[in-house]
Amino acid sequence: MTGWLTHTTDHPESCLTRSCLSALHAVSWALIFPCYWLADRLLASFIPTTYEKRQRADDPCYLQLLCTVLFTPVYLALLVASLPFAFLGFLLWSPLQSARRPYVYSRLEDKGPTGGAALLSEWKGTGPGKSFCFATANLCLLPDSLARLNNVFNTQARAKEIGQRIRNGASRPQIKIYIDSPTNTSISAASFSSLVSPQGSDGVPRAVPGSIKRTASVEYKGDGGRHPSDEAANGLASGDPADGGNLEDACIVRISGDEGGRPPEAGDPANGGQARNGAGGGPRGQTPNHSQQDGDSGSLGSPSASRESLVKGRSGADGGSGEPGANSKLPYKASVVKKAAMRRRRHPDEAFDHEVSAFFPANLDFLCLQEVFDKRAAAKLKDQLHSYFEYILYDVGVYGCHGCCSFKCLNSGLFFASRYPIMDVAYHCYPNGRFSDSLASKGALYLKVQVGSTPQDQRIVGYISCTHLHALSEDSDIRCEQLNMLQDWLADFRKSTSSSSAANPEELVAFDIICGDFNFDNCSSDDKLEQQHSLFTRYKDPCRLGPGEEKPWAIGTLLDQDGLYDEEVCTPDNLQKVLESEEGRREYLAFPTSKSPGGGQKGRKELLKGNGRRIDYMLHGEEGLYPDWKAEVEEFSFITQLSGLTDHLPVAMRLMVSAGDDEA
């Protein structure tokens, strides 16, 4: 579906008008694009990243510098030649924007068991409840010349790689890991993450020998995506994801230790590491083996244990027949498993699991992204994600001149993907942006999704709001105004899209989520005004104790841009290891700006307390939900899977919606 016309109908005249407008827009953009691309390339050649600076330092012949010198006059001449065509295209493009819908909706219908229609039939609002998983991330997919100001580059390649990594992380089968040992006879941990499942270099899936089985057949496919610095994608190809709320589709691994503490060998009987389904039945398949890459040690374990893998398998050169051998071992160590369990819940008083994960959570339901400004990059990202998410909204925002806003050169950068059907959408542009922020149509995207239906044919719905607030650090008052508008617009959206009444509820609201890049943190003294905003009294922040006070396990989501390509953090596993130590966080996370004279970056970090600037938020509300239900956080994750591709850490939250047995 295109982004043209505010209202879409099946009337032939409307279809003809929409086709004509799309054709005119394509012509206008074809005239503008050469000038836009040449200007972007010309500017990008003078803004090197730290990765490129290191390459130049290792290049004794200065070939890159020579190429820049040779191509700059060519780019400049072509740019001048393209200016008249760009001007004509702009005259045609600008008035067309008033007829454009402020988003592009794309649906790739999936009639399989993981499609949106099938998902709706899984939950009827009764029983033990249903979990929903949300994630948000700032991707910095700007035109390449602007992206380099944040020390990232190659926007088009990054978009494809990011899409592959998100899809690969989310589409893994969901497993639950239970630990039995002589010193701990109770269930120590339940991991809601998954075993990853790569394949050999020949593209043939490898079988894990012996003791690990799964209860659902999952097909794995490979990807050839590359990091701009030639780092292979860390993650697997998409498979048929298991449902997060269905136990019989999950893989349950039970690991036991004997009295002597001896780790079971690969050929030991099933009691050493046998996977059983909910009824204790036999295995129906085998999990493919993991062919490790550099910086990917232990990736076969759950994301919470990627550093010291619960399962380490290496296939032989012959592809492995599944039999144990010199190059195919499955060491299980109770101490390692216990450590992995502890890393998921370090604070006994916390009501939910939390972790730094090397992967996006399995069975991710909703994805909210910011700074997907480049339209070509958004299309590439959409193409990669569509094999997992059936419903996608991208190119969200307005262009040109609009009544309440100044001229907009860029869209809002917001991007939304869902496994569940989208029922209603609304977008609002913040009218109070200043300086560089005023050139982008930053705003708020509101969505209403259907996640089930009751036996009485009442729709079960949820509300998700995605936003990106004003960036300039000194403009606290502007961000507070935007938070006020965010809440007011959300109230209007819920009122206008609700088809229920107190006497005759046609819809039951399961959750209300607000997420995005807020551009302020909960530890900086300069952000006190935002920290005390009323939004945090109406919505719960799982990482926050109060204004200016974070929970001990919460870490910052803004990375120190100068260290993005350091070897210590250039892979998801490496970055995860670094962020699990206080010293690593102080080295590679961004901390609040210090106004004290003479306070250098390193000296400033030594004086600061806390775990970095957490500016990416995931909030959930309890007001306005169906009274008989309760929404509780089940787990919260800081994700390192996009290391080297963006300067932010994605965050994810799994929410459990519990329904009473007497639900109407």
Side-chain angles (χ1 to χ4, degrees):
M1 185 179 295
T2 66
W4 292 104
L5 296 182
T6 303
H7 303 285
T8 302
T9 66
D10 293 328
H11 194 280
E13 293 182 1
S14 297
C15 295
L16 178 61
T17 303
R18 186 165 64 252
S19 299
C20 291
L21 289 173
S22 298
L24 287 173
H25 180 267
V27 171
S28 66
W29 185 244
L31 293 171
I32 295 172
F33 181 76
C35 181
Y36 161 80
W37 186 85
L38 288 165
D40 185 45
R41 296 310 311 153
L42 185 63
L43 291 173
S45 63
F46 293 99
I47 311 175
T49 62
T50 56
Y51 174 77
E52 292 169 323
K53 290 177 181 178
R54 293 172 188 174
Q55 281 191 321
R56 292 178 184 179
D58 296 336
D59 180 14
C61 298
Y62 297 98
L63 292 179
Q64 291 183 334
L65 180 61
L66 181 62
C67 290
T68 300
V69 173
L70 291 177
F71 282 102
T72 295
V74 177
Y75 283 147
L76 190 58
L78 293 175
L79 177 63
V80 173
S82 66
L83 284 174
F85 299 99
F87 180 71
L88 291 175
F90 176 78
L91 294 179
L92 179 61
W93 171 86
S94 186
L96 289 174
Q97 303 312 305
S98 60
R100 178 187 178 274
R101 183 193 291 111
Y103 55 83
V104 177
Y105 169 71
S106 177
R107 180 188 179 189
L108 189 64
E109 187 172 3
D110 183 359
K111 296 182 179 180
T114 60
L119 290 176
L120 291 181
S121 62
E122 291 182 354
W123 190 40
K124 300 297 184 181
T126 58
K130 174 75 172 177
S131 67
F132 300 96
C133 190
F134 310 83
T136 182
N138 183 312
L139 302 185
C140 199
L141 291 177
L142 288 149
D144 201 46
S145 56
L146 299 179
R148 288 168 177 269
L149 299 177
N150 292 331
N151 200 29
V152 290
F153 66 107
N154 205 344
T155 295
Q156 306 306 317
R158 282 194 301 116
K160 183 177 180 180
E161 177 70 13
I162 287 171
Q164 289 176 347
R165 293 196 188 186
I166 294 175
R167 181 195 66 204
N168 295 342
S171 60
R172 297 167 296 136
Q174 185 174 359
I175 69 167
K176 297 183 179 181
I177 299 176
Y178 296 87
I179 303 135
D180 294 335
S181 72
T183 58
N184 186 0
T185 57
S186 62
I187 294 177
S188 301
S191 172
F192 292 91
S193 304
S194 305
L195 293 177
V196 295
S197 49
Q199 53 194 18
S201 58
D202 57 357
V204 179
R206 308 298 189 199
V208 171
S211 59
I212 292 189
K213 309 287 184 180
R214 58 185 173 83
T215 61
S217 176
V218 181
E219 179 184 1
Y220 300 96
K221 301 176 182 178
D223 289 303
R226 288 282 180 178
H227 178 274
S229 61
D230 297 332
E231 188 68 33
N234 183 19
L236 306 192
S238 69
D240 299 332
D243 172 52
N246 193 343
L247 183 61
E248 50 187 42
D249 286 339
C251 172
I252 303 178
V253 180
R254 185 175 298 276
I255 302 174
S256 303
D258 56 19
E259 292 182 358
R262 179 184 63 86
E265 297 296 332
D268 280 356
N271 63 354
Q274 181 74 27
R276 301 179 175 89
N277 60 18
R284 290 165 47 191
Q286 288 183 326
T287 305
N289 197 11
H290 176 52
S291 177
Q292 290 186 338
Q293 303 175 17
D294 292 342
D296 191 22
S297 61
S299 296
L300 189 56
S302 72
S304 62
S306 66
R307 179 171 62 182
E308 295 175 281
S309 177
L310 304 185
V311 182
K312 293 183 179 179
R314 299 178 183 271
S315 59
D318 61 349
S321 60
E323 297 297 327
N327 295 322
S328 181
K329 299 180 181 179
L330 277 176
Y332 287 90
K333 296 185 178 180
S335 60
V336 173
V337 174
K338 291 176 187 176
K339 183 174 182 180
M342 292 299 294
R343 288 167 62 186
R344 292 195 63 85
R345 183 178 291 177
R346 299 191 184 96
H347 301 279
D349 294 337
E350 193 62 83
F352 54 87
D353 293 340
H354 45 81
E355 66 173 338
V356 178
S357 171
F359 300 97
F360 276 84
N363 298 328
L364 179 62
D365 296 307
F366 306 101
L367 178 66
C368 301
L369 303 175
Q370 302 85 49
E371 289 200 13
V372 188
F373 288 112
D374 188 274
K375 292 197 290 186
R376 290 188 300 149
K380 288 180 172 65
L381 183 63
K382 179 258 300 181
D383 291 341
Q384 292 296 322
L385 293 177
H386 248 325
S387 61
Y388 181 78
F389 293 103
E390 184 173 345
Y391 310 89
I392 291 179
L393 286 173
Y394 66 103
D395 195 12
V396 178
V398 294
Y399 296 93
C401 295
H402 288 266
C404 64
C405 303
S406 59
F407 186 86
K408 303 298 181 184
C409 300
L410 297 172
N411 59 31
S412 69
L414 300 177
F415 184 109
F416 178 77
S418 171
R419 297 173 65 203
Y420 290 88
I422 300 173
M423 300 179 64
D424 291 289
V425 182
Y427 161 80
H428 293 277
C429 177
Y430 293 128
N432 57 348
R434 292 200 315 137
F435 301 123
S436 59
D437 258 28
S438 66
L439 298 177
S441 56
K442 284 187 175 181
L445 178 66
Y446 301 96
L447 304 113
K448 178 182 177 181
V449 294
Q450 183 176 358
V451 295
S453 59
T454 69
Q456 294 78 24
D457 290 330
Q458 297 169 299
R459 288 188 297 268
I460 304 175
V461 301
Y463 288 92
I464 304 172
S465 306
C466 179
T467 190
H468 190 185
L469 300 185
H470 189 71
L472 300 183
S473 58
E474 63 272 15
D475 291 334
S476 294
D477 54 338
I478 291 180
R479 281 188 289 275
C480 285
E481 291 175 6
Q482 292 177 347
L483 289 176
N484 291 336
M485 288 184 275
L486 176 70
Q487 295 184 90
D488 293 341
W489 290 335
L490 176 56
D492 293 340
F493 177 70
R494 291 193 58 167
K495 183 178 180 180
S496 64
T497 59
S498 176
S499 60
S500 299
S501 63
N504 184 28
E506 297 178 7
E507 295 177 342
L508 310 180
V509 180
F511 55 79
D512 183 4
I513 302 294
I514 294 180
C515 63
D517 182 352
F518 287 10
N519 272 314
F520 66 85
D521 59 65
N522 195 37
C523 59
S524 299
S525 58
D526 294 339
D527 294 336
K528 286 185 177 180
L529 192 61
E530 298 98 314
Q531 295 164 10
Q532 299 172 359
H533 195 274
S534 61
L535 175 71
F536 296 103
T537 62
R538 298 184 58 189
Y539 288 81
K540 289 188 175 182
D541 182 352
C543 303
R544 166 183 164 122
L545 289 173
E549 188 178 6
E550 294 277 82
K551 292 184 178 179
W553 51 265
I555 66 172
T557 60
L558 186 61
L559 299 173
D560 189 344
Q561 294 174 355
D562 292 337
L564 291 180
Y565 304 106
D566 287 2
E567 184 178 356
E568 291 82 358
V569 295
C570 64
T571 67
D573 262 3
N574 288 356
L575 181 57
Q576 181 197 30
K577 296 173 191 176
V578 165
L579 296 182
E580 286 172 346
S581 69
E582 183 176 356
E583 180 181 354
R585 291 192 292 270
R586 293 189 179 279
E587 181 69 20
Y588 288 102
L589 291 181
F591 279 73
T593 306
S594 175
K595 294 185 178 181
S596 59
Q601 176 78 357
K602 291 186 177 180
R604 174 177 59 81
K605 287 190 175 183
E606 290 176 359
L607 297 174
L608 285 173
K609 296 181 179 180
N611 291 321
R613 298 197 67 203
R614 183 177 62 89
I615 65 175
D616 298 274
Y617 289 77
M618 182 75 70
L619 313 178
H620 68 99
E622 295 182 339
E623 297 180 8
L625 306 185
Y626 185 59
D628 290 350
W629 293 349
K630 186 176 183 180
E632 295 180 314
V633 177
E634 195 172 46
E635 65 177 84
F636 196 94
S637 304
F638 298 91
I639 301 163
T640 65
Q641 195 170 4
L642 301 185
S643 62
L645 299 176
T646 179
D647 58 345
H648 285 243
L649 286 180
V651 296
M653 178 179 71
R654 196 178 297 275
L655 198 69
M656 171 60 75
V657 180
S658 303
D661 295 334
D662 57 345
E663 191 270 317

